Amino acid sequence: MVIIIGAGLSGLLTGYLLKKEGIPFKILESRHRVGGRINTLYSENKAPIELGATWFTSQHQHLLKLLETLDIPYFKQSIDDKVFYEASTAATAQLVQIPKQAPSYRISGGSSRLIQTLLKALDDTDVLIDQPVKHVKFDSKFVQVKTEKNHEGNVVVLALPPKLWAKNIEFEPQLPDDLMGIARQTQTWMEDAIKIGFTYEKPFWGSVNLPGTLFSNSGPITEFYDHSDHENSKFALCGFIDSSLKHLTYEERQLRAIKHLINVFGTKAQAFTGYEECVWSQENSTFEPADTYHFPHQNNGNPIFRNSYFDNRLFISSSESASEFPGYMDGAVCSAYATVKNIMKAQQHI
């Protein structure tokens, strides 16, 4: 039995691949939902809003091949050749010509479509939610993983950001000091981001020939994009606001964001039909305070995460541990494939 800790993309894909190989497993998820940092919010008659992982490129071949395997379509992110740009707090928004961009893509129907497709391929009993893990104990034959009850297996996969398991899970025996030290100093992708989205009945920006893209050095919005659905029948703008606003209330952030949009796009921006946000630093299963400042992607992809421990009974699989594109959805996919390959290889030598 393989016990997978974490039901994000890497954890669910690890389970999916193990199931195809006939290897028994159980996935334990601390949240009340699956998906981890993939979190698409669906509302009736409104465009899906991506509050987590969203974009990928043609370089992300592991993810692209998985989408093809699962028959999940994707589409090109709309971006204009001119965008709104605010250079500083003293400058008003200007229309700026930008160089031709390499296309980025979004999953049709939202990133959570990938999560739900993987989940549907598993049995109802394969994934347990509301199961935060606090203790992992290795003895001569078995591994005991403790949540509100004990789970016993032969192998454990840590499918969550390294800083989370390093700071929140007690290991017996202890993991090597060098591994724990690197894990504690590994930046968790998205951990301090705030994503917001406004839905609209009509794309007012396109109707008056305005771009749906905004880049601002003054804020509160730092990046915003046309977030309409694949069919271009439901409309939204979505992106990031300054993470320093995490201490404000939901209402205060909404007010500041819509005021910013009105200043840039005009009064039509205030006719939104919905506002959604995710302050990732308030997600206990994503954010854990760092001991020192971490720069973006710090230690993501560190080779130490690709080692196995306790005689091939503990493996690490997450976006941050990937050998390619760590810190992205592609990294999570890459890591899951590599982990399952290593588990199968280890079992052949038992």
Side-chain angles (χ1 to χ4, degrees), residues 32-99:
H32 191 63
R33 63 170 179 85
V34 299
R37 287 164 286 174
I38 292 179
N39 184 17
T40 311
L41 193 70
Y42 298 95
S43 300
E44 189 174 358
N45 298 321
K46 295 178 183 178
I49 297 295
E50 300 289 5
L51 297 178
T54 305
W55 298 280
F56 53 97
T57 73
S58 58
Q59 294 178 294
H60 295 165
Q61 286 296 306
H62 299 95
L63 177 60
L64 288 170
K65 290 177 181 176
L66 177 62
L67 293 175
E68 181 180 351
T69 298
L70 298 176
D71 197 26
I72 298 175
Y74 56 93
F75 66 107
K76 188 182 296 186
Q77 168 67 47
S78 173
I79 188 165
D80 304 276
D81 57 359
K82 287 185 179 181
V83 302
F84 282 113
Y85 175 63
E86 292 177 317
S88 68
T89 55
T92 57
Q94 303 291 321
L95 282 173
V96 176
Q97 186 88 26
I98 60 173

Side-chain angles (χ1 to χ4, degrees), residues 274-292:
Y275 169 80
E276 304 296 345
E277 68 171 29
C278 183
V279 183
W280 284 98
S281 61
Q282 296 175 2
E283 295 271 326
N284 292 333
S285 295
T286 296
F287 181 81
E288 181 66 34
D291 299 327
T292 58

Side-chain angles (χ1 to χ4, degrees), residues 9 55 62 92 148-149 170 234 241 290 328 341:
L9 175 55
W55 298 280
H62 299 95
T92 57
E148 58 186 15
K149 63 178 183 178
E170 180 183 356
K234 299 173 184 176
I241 61 173
Y328 297 91
K341 181 179 179 180

Side-chain angles (χ1 to χ4, degrees), residues 82-97 210-211 213-219 221-222 259-266:
K82 287 185 179 181
V83 302
F84 282 113
Y85 175 63
E86 292 177 317
S88 68
T89 55
T92 57
Q94 303 291 321
L95 282 173
V96 176
Q97 186 88 26
L210 293 176
T213 308
L214 164 65
F215 298 107
S216 175
N217 291 329
S218 59
I221 294 171
T222 56
K259 183 178 179 180
H260 191 177
L261 288 185
I262 291 171
N263 288 339
V264 174
F265 290 96

Side-chain angles (χ1 to χ4, degrees), residues 134-149:
K134 293 300 180 183
H135 191 271
V136 175
K137 180 180 179 180
F138 294 85
D139 60 28
S140 59
K141 292 184 178 181
F142 300 104
V143 184
Q144 290 186 347
V145 178
K146 186 174 183 180
T147 59
E148 58 186 15
K149 63 178 183 178

